[in-house]
Amino acid sequence: MHVTGGQFKGRIIKTPSGYGSMPRPTLSVVRESVFNILGSYFKDFSSLSFLDMFAGSGIMALEAYSRSFKKVFAIEKDAKVFYSIKEIYSGLEADINLVKADSLKITAKLDEDFDVIYIDPPWNFDYEPILNCAVKKLKKDGILIVESDKTRIKKGAKISCQINDTEILPFKEKIYGRCKLDFIKFS
């Protein structure tokens, strides 16, 4: 896979191994779209923070760092994958805060609140506890991005979450093959 933008644009990155099978990296067209949409919303990333709750291949956090996000965090639970990602980040001298932990247990304990939170768990995960966890760490006017398998979501159903008994729905949805992106923001 390769980095699609910023200071590391075009750099080839090896896919980490682990889990008994390789993590499913987010496609380059999806990554590019995510950061184009974020760019039209924020204009400048240099004062913003980014959290990738399920690092997997590590590429989303690397894309955010490459595009000059001020603070970038990535969480990966699997030890073998974590050390593989750490090696990639170290080789590029990328100052990304990589945490080896379960996202649902550690996210609430992070000292930082985030402007952008990217959620791409294994596609068999239950999204409700993940969204409830992420919402608590999202800054006002921040954006939550959820990547899911469109074939798992009932036709017409929306990824959403509750804040103070109010249902919050995506302001933008994009589909790339099986991959569905939901962009959710809170004002």
Side-chain angles (χ1 to χ4, degrees), residues 15-31:
T15 303
S17 59
Y19 297 125
S21 64
M22 298 205 327
R24 171 189 41 80
T26 299
L27 299 172
S28 59
V29 67
V30 175
R31 288 183 271 125

Side-chain angles (χ1 to χ4, degrees), residues 62-74:
L62 185 56
E63 291 275 7
Y65 181 81
S66 182
R67 287 172 168 81
S68 301
F69 273 79
K70 183 177 182 177
K71 292 183 181 176
V72 179
F73 287 74

Side-chain angles (χ1 to χ4, degrees), residues 84-166:
S84 184
I85 296 168
K86 186 175 180 177
E87 183 180 317
I88 292 166
Y89 291 170
S90 178
L92 293 170
E93 297 182 8
D95 187 18
I96 297 171
N97 298 290
L98 180 61
V99 179
K100 185 189 161 310
D102 182 325
S103 293
L104 295 178
K105 293 178 181 174
I106 195 70
T107 300
K109 296 176 184 176
L110 296 174
D111 292 334
E112 189 82 27
D113 285 343
F114 299 91
D115 297 290
V116 177
I117 299 177
Y118 193 81
I119 299 170
D120 179 16
W123 282 354
N124 60 347
F125 251 68
D126 178 6
Y127 286 90
E128 187 174 346
I130 299 168
L131 291 170
N132 289 333
C133 179
V135 164
K136 295 172 186 161
K137 298 306 288 182
L138 191 66
K139 288 182 180 177
K140 185 177 191 273
D141 295 324
I143 295 181
L144 185 63
I145 305 163
V146 181
E147 183 177 332
S148 60
D149 178 356
K150 76 171 187 176
T151 64
R152 280 197 60 226
I153 299 177
K154 293 178 187 168
K155 190 169 183 166
K158 304 235 182 241
I159 294 267
S160 65
C161 53
Q162 297 278 128
I163 295 183
N164 301 328
D165 297 322
T166 304

